[in-house]
């Protein structure tokens, strides 16, 4: 081969290597960048008043006086919205109005009996009051606008009678006036449609601003607060402004999902129509978003369902179970590799052992999980007096077995790469086999062994399937010992992804866990790489 041809091949090889590195970096950036960006929104975001109120109540964090003042100012701004909603609801939920009219009529009769009015007067007033009540109830119950207005006109014809001045019955006239305003602005035939849409509007407002003042305190933390972040505000505002409907645009074609403006279609012309523009235009005043750096995300506990709080217990559990797995797998893997290199003959038995180790490295992780459940929890632990419940110990041992083949193979290659002269020099100076391995072979092979440990760390920290049945829980207290189950970053992300629309409502929590897991693995790897680098420098003598 000529020098020119060789130069061309060298340049081509260099180009291919460089392109592969650039391509690998680009793929990593394309995969990780969106994930890390979304994950960072769990820490850096625009927090609303609801976030500050939640932090104060759940984590005792923030200025109580300042948050209370902010709460009072916001309630003043939100009150017209609630009043508008209540006014419209009173005209649509007619069953409640009929019951209210009956209560007023009953109270009026009790008052007459209490005042001991003559019997003929009592019967006359009761009859007239009953007539008014029945007319008003008929107005509520009919879906014909003309008929309803006729009933209301008849009710109003009794308003000027002196018998009802300053009595309970006067409230029936006020109810009739309020309902007349509603009847003139809504289509009574669509009353059921209004009620359904009204429930959606009330739920959207609850998710935006939290429960209405005076409402019963919710048991679940996720229902006690409104939108705690600006991105949630925008999402819930969209739900408030637009309804989703399935519309069949062409005969014979499947229906398609379309967004319908509530202001322009569902509640057009009603007294509720201005509410949507009011909320949309003043949404920042109504939620008070502020730039927030929530660094406590990495230490805070989370509420059930992962709606609020951080990933502190998940980080602790992941570190414990990962380090436990490495403590179990590392010495066992190094000793196994030592035996295979130094003492195992290249016979059938060793070949079978190596084949089994290689096969184990490719076994699906869920198989290790089922093995851990059957062997450790159901067989071994009960026989040595330990609990058969899921625990960190069981999870660590199972993950240790999972990464053991990787450590064995990496350690075997590292030990085999140590020059034979090192061992021969040690033995010539009188050291035994064991001492030679500890003081000469192992330190020389340690950089290569640490490479296997780094790969194993990443896998142990990120595995979900092996710990599903034997170590992980979705919620619960922090573990008090290695015999308790624990929350994990990988399992928490899995729970959010498979939960009932949890990932849809709090995507920042899922990606925040993934980001934290990546950062944690990166940190552990950096520590191992630093140790490996120091060992390599020591071996080189500087």
């Amino acid at each position: 081969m000529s020098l020119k041809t060789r130069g061309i091949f060298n340049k081509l090889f260099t180009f291919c290597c460089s392109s592969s590195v650039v391509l690998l970096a680009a793929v990593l950036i394309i995969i990780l960048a969106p994930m890390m960006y979304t994950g960072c929104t769990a820490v850096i975001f625009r927090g609303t008043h609801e976030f500050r109120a939640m932090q104060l109540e759940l984590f005792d964090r923030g200025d109580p006086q300042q948050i209370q003042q902010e709460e009072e100012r916001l309630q003043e701004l939100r009150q017209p919205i609630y009043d508008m909603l209540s006014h419209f609801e009173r005209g649509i939920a007619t069953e409640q109005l009929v019951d209210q009219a009956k209560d007023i009529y009953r109270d009026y009769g009790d008052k007459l009996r209490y005042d001991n009015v003559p019997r003929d007067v009592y019967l006359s007033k009761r009859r007239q009051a009953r007539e008014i009540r029945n007319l008003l109830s008929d107005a509520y119950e009919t879906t014909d606008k003309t008929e309803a207005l006729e009933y209301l006109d008849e009710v109003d014809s009794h308003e000027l009678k002196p018998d009802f001045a300053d009595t309970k019955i006067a409230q029936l006239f006020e109810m009739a006036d309020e309902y007349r305003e509603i009847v003139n602005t809504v289509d009574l035939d669509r009353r059921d449609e209004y009620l359904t849409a009204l429930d959606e509007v009330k739920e959207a407002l609850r998710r935006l601003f939290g429960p209405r003042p005076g409402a019963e305190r919710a048991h679940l933390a996720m229902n006690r607060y409104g939108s705690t972040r600006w991105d949630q505000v925008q999402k819930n505002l969209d739900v408030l402004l637009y309804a989703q409907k399935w519309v069949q645009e062409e005969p014979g074609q499947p229906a398609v999902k379309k967004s319908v403006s509530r202001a322009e279609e569902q509640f057009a012309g009603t007294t509720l129509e201005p509410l949507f523009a009011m909320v949309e235009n003043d949404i920042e005043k109504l939620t008070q978003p502020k730039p927030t750096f929530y660094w406590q995300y990495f230490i805070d506990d989370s509420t059930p369902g992962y709606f609020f709080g951080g990933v502190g217990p998940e980080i602790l559990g992941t570190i414990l179970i990962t380090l436990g797995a490495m403590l179990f797998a590392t010495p066992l893997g190094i000793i196994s590799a030592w035996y295979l290199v130094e003492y195992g003959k290249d016979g059938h038995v060793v070949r079978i052992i190596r084949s089994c180790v290689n096969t184990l490295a490719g076994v699906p992780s869920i198989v290790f999980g089922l093995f851990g459940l059957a062997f450790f929890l159901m067989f071994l632990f009960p026989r040595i007096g330990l609990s058969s419940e899921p625990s960190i110990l069981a999870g660590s041992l199972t993950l240790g077995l999972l990464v053991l083949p990787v450590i064995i193979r990496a350690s075997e290659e590292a030990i085999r790469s140590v020059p034979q002269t090192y061992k021969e020099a040690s033995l010539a100076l009188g050291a035994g086999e064991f001492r030679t391995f500890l003081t000469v072979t192992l330190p020389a092979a340690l950089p290569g062994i640490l490479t296997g440990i780094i790969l194993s760390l990443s896998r142990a920290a990120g595995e979900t399937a092996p710990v599903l049945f034997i170590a992980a829980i979705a919620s619960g207290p922090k573990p008090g010992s290695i015999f308790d189950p624990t929350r994990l970053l990988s399992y928490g992300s899995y729970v959010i992804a498979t939960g009932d629309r949890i990932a849809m409502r709090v995507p920042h929590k899922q990606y925040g866990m993934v980001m934290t897991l990546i950062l944690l693995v990166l940190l552990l790897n950096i520590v191992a790489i630093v140790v490996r680098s120091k060992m390599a420098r020591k071996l080189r003598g500087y």
Side-chain angles (χ1 to χ4, degrees):
M1 184 181 295
S2 66
L3 289 175
K4 186 177 180 181
T5 306
R6 186 180 300 173
I8 292 173
F9 276 112
N10 287 342
K11 290 179 180 178
L12 185 62
F13 179 72
T14 305
F15 174 76
C16 290
C17 292
S18 303
S19 300
S20 299
V21 172
V22 171
L23 183 63
L24 180 62
V27 170
L28 284 175
I29 291 173
I30 291 172
I31 294 174
L32 292 180
M35 199 179 298
M36 295 297 286
Y37 174 78
T38 310
C40 286
T41 59
V43 181
I44 303 172
F45 54 92
R46 296 181 72 189
T48 65
H49 165 76
E50 295 297 310
F51 175 79
R52 295 185 282 279
M54 178 270 292
Q55 285 283 300
L56 177 64
E57 184 173 343
L58 297 184
F59 300 101
D60 195 21
R61 195 175 292 145
D63 185 344
Q65 187 176 1
Q66 185 178 356
I67 292 174
Q68 179 62 31
Q69 291 174 352
E70 191 177 56
E71 173 80 21
E72 292 172 357
R73 286 199 304 273
L74 287 178
Q75 289 307 330
E76 288 181 9
L77 291 173
R78 294 171 182 175
Q79 192 57 45
I81 297 171
Y82 293 134
D83 291 342
M84 198 179 297
L85 196 67
S86 300
H87 177 71
F88 183 77
E89 186 177 13
R90 279 173 59 84
I92 297 300
T94 53
E95 290 183 2
Q96 297 177 9
L97 293 172
V98 170
D99 293 339
Q100 185 178 350
K102 290 179 180 177
D103 291 339
I104 292 173
Y105 168 73
R106 193 177 302 110
D107 292 342
Y108 177 69
D110 293 340
K111 182 70 167 57
L112 290 178
R113 281 194 295 271
Y114 179 78
D115 292 341
N116 290 322
V117 296
R119 179 171 178 75
D120 55 339
V121 176
Y122 170 79
L123 292 175
S124 174
K125 289 186 176 181
R126 282 295 299 266
R127 180 181 56 76
Q128 294 181 59
R130 184 166 56 249
E131 183 180 353
I132 295 171
R133 182 204 65 185
N134 291 340
L135 287 170
L136 188 57
S137 298
D138 291 340
Y140 286 141
E141 291 171 354
T142 183
T143 57
D144 186 289
K145 180 178 179 180
T146 305
E147 197 173 73
L149 290 174
E150 289 176 356
Y151 286 132
L152 293 175
D153 289 340
E154 290 187 52
V155 172
D156 287 345
S157 66
H158 295 275
E159 186 172 2
L160 298 178
K161 292 182 179 179
D163 290 345
F164 300 124
D166 299 328
T167 66
K168 281 279 187 181
I169 298 301
Q171 296 180 17
L172 295 181
F173 300 129
E174 294 175 3
M175 292 171 63
D177 292 339
E178 288 181 4
Y179 191 60
R180 183 188 296 279
E181 184 181 354
I182 297 294
V183 169
N184 285 324
T185 56
V186 302
D187 182 357
L188 295 181
D189 288 333
R190 297 173 55 198
R191 184 181 289 168
D192 293 339
E193 183 182 338
Y194 283 135
L195 282 174
T196 303
L198 192 62
D199 288 339
E200 295 174 357
V201 170
K202 288 162 66 177
E203 176 61 17
L205 284 174
R206 187 197 66 75
R207 291 190 177 184
L208 265 178
F209 305 139
R212 291 178 63 167
E216 186 178 355
R217 180 180 172 82
H219 294 291
L220 297 176
M222 58 180 280
N223 294 328
R224 288 181 205 158
Y225 310 97
S227 301
T228 56
R229 306 157 51 91
W230 179 243
D231 54 338
Q232 288 181 334
V233 169
Q234 292 174 310
K235 190 181 296 182
N236 289 325
L237 178 63
D238 189 69
V239 174
L240 175 68
L241 298 179
Y242 300 97
Q244 301 297 319
K245 278 190 173 181
W246 290 94
V247 180
Q248 189 171 26
E249 296 181 330
E250 296 181 9
Q253 297 296 319
V256 294
K257 196 174 185 179
K258 298 189 71 173
S259 293
V260 177
S261 171
R262 296 188 194 275
E264 296 176 359
E265 293 194 25
Q266 277 192 329
F267 296 99
T270 69
T271 55
L272 202 62
E273 181 184 343
L275 178 143
F276 303 99
M278 184 188 299
V279 176
E280 185 178 14
N281 295 333
D282 297 334
I283 188 62
E284 293 208 26
K285 294 180 182 175
L286 292 166
T287 55
Q288 296 289 309
K290 294 180 182 177
T292 304
F293 179 56
Y294 181 37
W295 65 268
Q296 296 92 338
Y297 175 77
F298 298 107
I299 59 173
D300 278 349
D301 199 351
S302 61
T303 60
Y306 298 103
F307 269 80
F308 306 118
V311 292
E314 283 78 4
I315 292 177
L316 176 65
T318 303
I319 292 175
L320 288 176
I321 205 165
T322 303
L323 293 182
M326 301 316 299
L327 286 175
F328 169 70
T330 300
L332 194 59
I334 294 175
I335 293 172
S336 302
W338 179 35
Y339 172 79
L340 290 174
V341 174
E342 299 290 344
Y343 300 103
K345 306 296 182 184
D346 194 18
H348 294 295
V349 176
V350 173
R351 288 178 185 173
I352 291 173
I353 292 174
R354 285 204 177 95
S355 297
C356 291
V357 170
N358 293 333
T359 304
L360 279 176
V363 170
S365 55
I366 187 67
V367 176
F368 283 92
L370 292 172
F371 170 79
L373 174 67
F375 180 71
F376 292 120
L377 293 186
M378 299 177 68
F379 174 76
L380 181 62
F381 284 8
R383 280 165 174 74
I384 59 176
L386 297 178
S387 171
S388 59
E389 296 295 322
S391 64
I392 295 175
L393 179 61
S396 297
L397 294 175
T398 304
L399 286 176
L401 291 176
L402 177 71
V403 300
L404 186 59
V406 178
I407 295 180
I408 291 176
R409 294 298 297 158
S411 302
E412 194 177 348
E413 295 300 326
I415 293 172
R416 188 175 284 115
S417 66
V418 176
Q420 188 66 16
T421 53
Y422 285 19
K423 179 183 175 183
E424 292 172 354
S426 176
L427 294 174
L429 291 173
E433 292 279 350
F434 184 65
R435 187 172 181 182
T436 297
F437 176 75
L438 282 183
T439 58
V440 177
T441 307
L442 184 59
L446 204 52
I449 294 173
L450 284 173
T451 301
I453 293 175
I454 291 170
L455 295 174
S456 304
L457 267 176
S458 305
R459 186 170 183 193
E463 280 292 346
T464 304
V467 296
L468 278 175
F469 322 108
I470 56 175
I473 52 174
S475 61
K478 294 178 184 176
S481 70
I482 60 173
F483 304 108
D484 294 332
T486 182
R487 285 182 271 172
L488 299 168
L489 288 168
S490 56
Y491 184 69
S493 180
Y494 166 79
V495 170
I496 293 178
T498 56
D500 185 16
R501 298 184 179 183
I502 298 177
M504 190 185 300
R505 294 182 61 180
V506 286
H508 59 281
K509 298 288 289 184
Q510 184 182 19
Y511 284 98
M513 281 191 180
V514 173
M515 176 200 68
T516 308
L517 181 59
I518 293 173
L519 292 178
L520 182 63
V521 170
L522 189 62
L523 181 64
L524 293 174
N525 285 349
I526 288 174
V527 172
I529 290 171
V530 169
V531 173
R532 184 181 64 181
S533 177
K534 287 187 175 180
M535 293 298 301
R537 288 182 180 181
K538 189 176 179 181
L539 287 173
R540 288 194 292 267
Y542 60 89

